[in-house]
C-alpha cells in the first residue's frame, strides 16, 4: 500500500474537497447564476420554437402568393391553346416567374394532373407526384411536403379560365433548405443577445453576492444557524432585559426578562413602542428621547436601570436591570443609618441624664432626682402613647415613633395632627409604611434647615379611604415644579451612598395611582410655617368594618 501524502511537517495533507460551497455569498452567487442561465436557455428555446414555425408559415405564404400570381388569365389561355412542351408558352412563363421570384419550382398542371411546366424539362407531360385534388377542387393549399425535388414549402391554387371554370392548378415550391438556413442564421444573433443578457445577470448576481458577503461578514449558513441558536440561548438566559427597536420605533425583539420587567407579552413584538408602553419616562428612555447612561425609570412597582445603544440601521438595543430590591435595600440602609445616628445621640443624651441623676443622688437631692426621672420617662411615654392612640396599625405606629426619635435628634419637631385617627383595618400596611416613610424622610430633609423646623403628619380614615397629609416648614416647592418632582430621577439632593435619587416621590405616586388614588403637593398652612404639604389619597385602602386586616376580598385589593 502506498503511503498517504504528507504535508510540510510530515502531517497528512488535507485533500481538497469539491462540492457545494459553505459561504453564504458563494451559495447565493451559484444559485443566481444557475437561475440566470436557466432562464436564458428557457427564453432562447421559447423564442426559437415559434421562430421556426413563423419561418415555415412565411415560406408557405410566399409560395402561395407566387402561385396566385402565376395563375393569371394569360397562363390559363396558353394552357387551353397549346400543348405541354419544353418550349411551350406555359413553360416559358412559369420559368420566368420562378426565376424572378426565386422559387424552387413553378408547376402548371391541367385537370388530369399532367405537368405543363417544371424546373426539370423531363418532367413536363408527366403526372404530378402528389395528389392535386384539393386545388382542382377550388381550394388554396399551404403545406410542407416532399416531392421529386425534395422537401419544400408549397402553395397550390386552382387555375381558372375567363368563365371562372377550373381548367388546372398551379403549384409553387420554396426550397425548405433556405428556410432552415434562415433559422440557423438567426441563432448566432439570438445567442449573442442571450449571452449578453446572461453576462449582465451574472455581473448583477456577483455584485449582489459581494454585498451579501459584506453584510453577513463572510459567514457560512451553518455559522449563521449557530449564531442564531446562541443568540436565542443568550437572550433568554441572561437576567437582564433586552429590547431591540427598528428604525420606525417598533419592538423588534424582547427577551423573557424584558417582558417580565415591562409587563408585556410576546404579542408586543412588532408593535410601536409608544402604543404598548404608553406615555411616560420608560417610553422616553427606551425611545432615546432621554439620553444618558444608567438612566433610572419606574415601571409599575419596579425600579429599572436602562441603557440604550443605537444601531446602524436607525434602531437601537436597550438593556434593563431590575434595581427594585437594591433600591429598597439602599433606602433601608439610609433609614438604618438615621436610626443609628438617633440611637447614638440618645446614648449620649442618656449618659448625660445618668450623670445628672448620679449627681443629684450624691448631693442627696432625692426629691429633685425623682422629679427628673419622672419628667424624662414621661416625655418618651407621652410621645409613644400619642402615636398609638391615634394610629392603631402597629407597623405605622412603630414607624412614626422611630421617625419621631430621628427627628428629635436632627432638631426637628415631629407632631401628629389632632385630626389623625387610623383604624387597624389596612389592606396593605407595608405599602402605606413605604409611602409614609418616603414622605417623612423628604419632610425631614426639607425642614432641617429652616428657622423653626417642624413636621406634621395626619393619617385619617374616611370610610374605606385613607388620607395622608405630611407638612413641613421647609422652603416649599415652586408651583412650576409641583408635577416635575413626581418624575423618577428628579431630585435636588446630593447622591446617597447607593448612588441614586429621585425615586421616592415617583414610587409614592405610582403606589397611589395603582390604588386608584392620587398624590399631590401644595403649599403648607401656617401651622408648620408655610413649607410643602404632600397629600396622598388611597381609596379602598381599608377593609370593611368587622373584617380582619389583610383579609380583603379579591375585588377589594388592588
Amino acid at each position: 500500500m502506498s503511503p498517504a501524502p504528507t504535508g510540510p511537517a510530515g502531517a497528512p495533507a488535507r485533500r481538497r474537497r469539491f462540492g457545494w460551497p459553505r459561504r453564504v455569498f458563494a451559495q447565493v452567487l451559484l444559485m443566481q447564476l444557475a437561475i440566470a442561465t436557466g432562464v436564458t436557455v428557457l427564453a432562447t428555446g421559447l423564442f426559437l420554437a415559434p421562430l421556426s414555425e413563423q419561418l415555415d408559415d412565411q415560406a408557405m405564404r410566399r409560395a402561395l402568393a407566387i402561385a396566385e400570381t402565376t395563375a393569371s388569365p394569360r397562363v390559363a389561355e396558353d394552357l387551353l391553346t397549346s400543348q405541354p412542351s419544353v418550349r411551350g408558352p406555359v413553360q416559358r412563363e412559369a420559368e420566368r416567374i420562378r426565376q424572378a421570384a426565386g422559387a424552387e419550382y413553378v408547376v402548371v398542371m391541367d385537370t388530369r394532373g399532367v405537368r405543363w411546366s417544371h424546373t426539370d424539362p423531363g418532367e413536363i407531360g408527366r403526372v404530378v407526384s402528389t395528389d392535386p385534388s384539393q386545388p382542382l377542387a377550388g381550394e388554396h393549399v399551404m403545406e410542407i411536403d416532399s416531392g421529386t425535388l425534395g422537401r419544400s414549402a408549397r402553395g397550390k391554387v386552382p387555375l381558372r379560365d375567363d368563365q371562372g371554370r377550373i381548367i388546372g392548378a398551379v403549384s409553387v415550391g420554396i426550397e425548405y433548405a433556405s428556410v432552415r438556413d434562415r433559422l440557423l442564421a438567426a441563432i448566432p444573433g439570438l445567442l449573442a443577445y442571450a449571452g449578453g443578457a446572461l453576462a449582465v445577470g451574472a455581473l448583477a448576481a456577483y455584485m449582489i453576492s459581494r454585498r451579501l458577503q459584506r453584510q453577513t461578514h463572510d459567514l457560512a449558513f451553518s455559522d449563521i444557524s449557530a449564531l442564531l441558536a446562541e443568540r436565542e440561548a443568550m437572550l433568554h438566559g441572561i437576567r437582564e432585559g433586552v429590547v431591540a427597536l427598528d428604525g420606525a420605533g417598533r419592538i423588534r425583539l424582547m427577551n423573557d426578562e424584558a417582558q417580565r420587567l415591562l409587563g408585556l407579552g410576546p404579542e408586543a413584538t412588532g408593535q410601536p413602542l409608544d402604543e404598548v408602553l404608553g406615555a411616560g419616562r420608560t417610553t422616553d428612555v427606551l425611545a432615546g428621547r432621554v439620553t444618558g447612561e444608567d438612566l433610572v425609570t419606574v415601571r409599575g412597582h419596579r425600579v429599572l436601570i436602562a441603557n440604550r445603544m443605537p444601531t446602524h440601521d436607525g434602531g437601537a438595543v436597550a438593556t434593563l436591570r431590575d434595581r427594585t430590591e437594591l433600591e429598597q435595600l439602599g433606602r433601608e440602609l439610609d433609614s438604618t443609618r438615621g436610626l443609628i445616628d438617633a440611637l447614638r445621640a440618645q446614648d449620649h443624651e442618656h449618659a448625660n441624664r445618668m450623670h445628672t441623676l448620679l449627681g443629684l443622688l450624691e448631693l442627696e437631692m432625692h426629691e429633685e432626682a425623682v422629679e427628673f426621672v419622672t419628667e424624662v420617662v414621661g416625655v418618651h411615654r407621652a410621645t409613644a402613647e400619642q402615636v398609638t392612640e391615634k394610629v392603631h396599625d402597629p407597623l405605622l405606629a412603630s414607624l412614626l415613633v422611630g421617625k419621631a426619635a430621628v427627628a428629635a435628634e436632627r432638631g426637628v419637631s415631629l407632631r401628629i395632627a389632632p385630626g389623625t385617627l387610623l383604624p387597624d383595618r389596612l389592606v396593605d400596611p407595608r405599602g402605606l409604611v413605604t409611602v409614609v416613610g418616603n414622605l417623612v424622610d423628604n419632610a425631614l430633609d426639607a425642614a432641617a434647615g429652616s428657622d423653626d423646623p417642624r413636621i406634621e403628619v395626619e393619617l385619617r380614615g374616611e370610610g374605606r379611604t385613607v388620607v395622608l397629609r405630611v407638612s413641613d416648614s421647609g422652603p416649599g416647592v415652586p408651583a412650576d415644579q409641583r408635577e416635575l418632582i413626581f418624575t423618577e430621577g428628579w431630585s435636588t439632593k446630593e447622591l446617597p451612598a447607593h448612588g441614586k435619587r429621585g425615586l421616592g416621590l415617583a414610587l409614592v405616586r405610582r403606589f397611589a395611582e395603582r390604588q386608584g388614588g392620587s398624590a399631590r403637593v401644595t403649599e403648607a398652612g401656617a401651622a408648620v410655617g408655610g413649607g410643602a404639604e404632600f397629600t396622598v389619597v388611597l381609596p379602598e385602602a381599608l377593609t370593611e368594618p368587622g373584617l380582619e386586616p389583610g383579609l380583603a376580598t379579591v375585588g377589594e385589593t388592588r
Side-chain angles (χ1 to χ4, degrees):
M1 180 180 296
S2 59
T6 58
R14 296 180 61 185
R15 295 181 179 179
R16 185 179 180 88
R17 297 179 61 183
F18 295 94
W20 191 249
R22 296 179 63 249
R23 303 297 180 187
V24 175
F25 88 97
Q27 292 189 25
V28 172
L29 177 61
L30 287 180
M31 287 188 290
Q32 288 179 324
L33 289 177
I35 292 173
T37 303
V39 170
T40 302
V41 172
L42 179 62
T44 304
L46 293 176
F47 182 80
L48 287 177
L51 177 62
S52 177
E53 295 179 0
Q54 290 175 3
L55 292 177
D56 289 347
D57 183 72
Q58 290 177 3
M60 290 186 294
R61 290 184 180 278
R62 180 185 170 201
L64 184 65
I66 297 174
E68 290 176 343
T69 302
T70 305
S72 62
R74 178 181 176 182
V75 174
E77 183 180 356
D78 292 339
L79 182 67
L80 293 174
T81 59
S82 64
Q83 296 294 323
S85 65
V86 177
R87 293 182 176 84
V90 176
Q91 170 68 0
R92 289 197 303 270
E93 181 65 15
E95 281 298 296
R96 183 187 68 80
I97 293 175
R98 182 188 70 80
Q99 293 175 1
E104 183 181 14
Y105 64 85
V106 176
V107 175
V108 180
M109 68 190 79
D110 58 19
T111 56
R112 297 170 301 169
V114 176
R115 300 187 185 95
W116 286 62
S117 66
H118 198 277
T119 304
D120 182 4
E123 296 293 330
I124 297 176
R126 295 181 180 180
V127 178
V128 295
S129 59
T130 57
D131 183 16
S133 59
Q134 285 183 290
L136 292 177
E139 297 180 9
H140 288 65
V141 179
M142 293 190 304
E143 61 183 1
I144 303 292
D145 201 356
S146 299
T148 57
L149 296 179
R151 191 171 180 80
S152 60
R154 301 181 178 187
K156 300 177 182 180
V157 298
L159 180 62
R160 301 176 186 271
D161 60 8
D162 295 339
Q163 303 300 321
R165 293 173 298 178
I166 297 177
I167 60 174
V170 178
S171 176
V172 176
I174 303 295
E175 186 179 4
Y176 193 75
S178 64
V179 178
R180 186 175 62 252
D181 292 342
R182 289 181 61 192
L183 177 62
L184 295 177
I187 290 178
L190 180 61
L191 292 179
Y193 285 114
L198 181 60
V200 173
L203 179 61
Y206 176 76
M207 295 176 65
I208 294 174
S209 299
R210 290 292 296 177
R211 178 179 176 83
L212 184 62
Q213 182 183 18
R214 291 192 299 269
Q215 292 181 341
T216 59
H217 302 286
D218 199 17
L219 293 175
F221 275 113
S222 59
D223 298 333
I224 295 177
S225 177
L227 286 175
L228 288 175
E230 291 172 0
R231 189 198 71 164
E232 289 298 314
M234 178 183 65
L235 285 177
H236 297 288
I238 61 176
R239 300 306 300 169
E240 285 192 1
V242 178
V243 180
L245 305 173
D246 61 15
R250 294 185 295 265
I251 298 177
R252 184 159 47 192
L253 173 70
M254 275 194 311
N255 67 347
D256 299 338
E257 183 68 5
Q259 295 177 21
R260 184 183 70 86
L261 296 178
L262 297 176
L264 302 176
E267 66 278 0
T269 303
Q271 300 296 322
L273 182 68
D274 293 334
E275 291 185 7
V276 297
L277 289 184
R281 178 177 169 83
T282 302
T283 304
D284 294 338
V285 169
L286 296 181
R289 292 188 284 269
V290 178
T291 59
E293 296 182 355
D294 292 338
L295 297 174
V296 181
T297 181
V298 177
R299 177 68 178 175
H301 64 282
R302 300 186 183 279
V303 179
L304 306 177
I305 302 297
N307 285 281
R308 187 178 187 274
M309 178 64 68
T311 57
H312 69 280
D313 60 350
V317 174
T319 59
L320 300 169
R321 285 176 288 157
D322 190 354
R323 197 184 175 89
T324 307
E325 295 182 359
L326 182 60
E327 187 65 28
Q328 290 176 351
L329 290 175
R331 290 184 173 276
E332 291 178 3
L333 178 61
D334 289 344
S335 298
T336 303
R337 286 181 174 176
L339 289 174
I340 291 174
D341 293 339
L343 290 174
R344 185 181 296 112
Q346 288 184 359
D347 179 61
H348 289 292
E349 185 178 356
H350 178 70
N352 292 332
R353 289 169 179 168
M354 292 301 294
H355 292 156
T356 301
L357 179 60
L358 180 60
L360 291 173
L361 292 176
E362 288 180 351
L363 295 174
E364 298 181 356
M365 301 174 65
H366 300 98
E367 294 182 3
E368 288 81 357
V370 172
E371 292 177 1
F372 177 75
V373 172
T374 302
E375 180 183 356
V376 171
V377 174
V379 171
H380 291 282
R381 181 179 300 170
T383 302
E385 289 178 354
Q386 181 188 15
V387 173
T388 55
E389 285 177 0
K390 296 179 178 294
V391 180
H392 298 166
D393 183 83
L395 288 179
L396 276 175
S398 302
L399 173 70
L400 291 175
V401 171
K403 294 297 183 182
V406 174
E409 164 60 20
R410 298 180 62 177
V412 179
S413 173
L414 190 151
R415 188 171 73 94
I416 304 298
T420 296
L421 183 59
L422 185 68
D424 188 14
R425 293 188 286 110
L426 288 175
V427 174
D428 185 8
R430 295 184 181 274
L432 191 54
V433 164
T434 300
V435 172
V436 174
N438 281 327
L439 293 181
V440 171
D441 287 342
N442 288 338
L444 282 174
D445 292 337
S450 61
D451 295 335
D452 184 13
R454 283 178 291 171
I455 296 175
E456 184 176 79
V457 179
E458 180 180 2
L459 274 165
R460 68 178 186 272
E462 299 176 354
R464 296 189 57 191
T465 300
V466 170
V467 178
L468 166 64
R469 183 176 57 83
V470 178
S471 306
D472 62 69
S473 60
V477 180
D480 59 342
Q481 296 183 0
R482 289 177 181 174
E483 285 298 319
L484 189 62
I485 63 172
F486 290 102
T487 305
E488 56 263 32
W490 190 92
S491 179
T492 59
K493 305 174 186 177
E494 297 181 358
L495 290 178
H498 54 282
K500 296 294 177 183
R501 280 286 192 188
L503 296 177
L505 292 178
L507 292 174
V508 168
R509 170 164 280 188
R510 291 293 177 88
F511 178 82
E513 290 176 348
R514 286 201 309 272
Q515 298 284 339
S518 61
R520 60 189 178 88
V521 59
T522 57
E523 184 178 354
V528 292
E533 180 176 290
F534 288 85
T535 303
V536 178
V537 179
L538 303 175
E540 300 186 16
L542 296 174
T543 62
E544 293 289 350
L547 188 64
E548 295 182 15
L551 297 180
T553 61
V554 174
E556 294 169 340
T557 58
R558 295 279 179 155

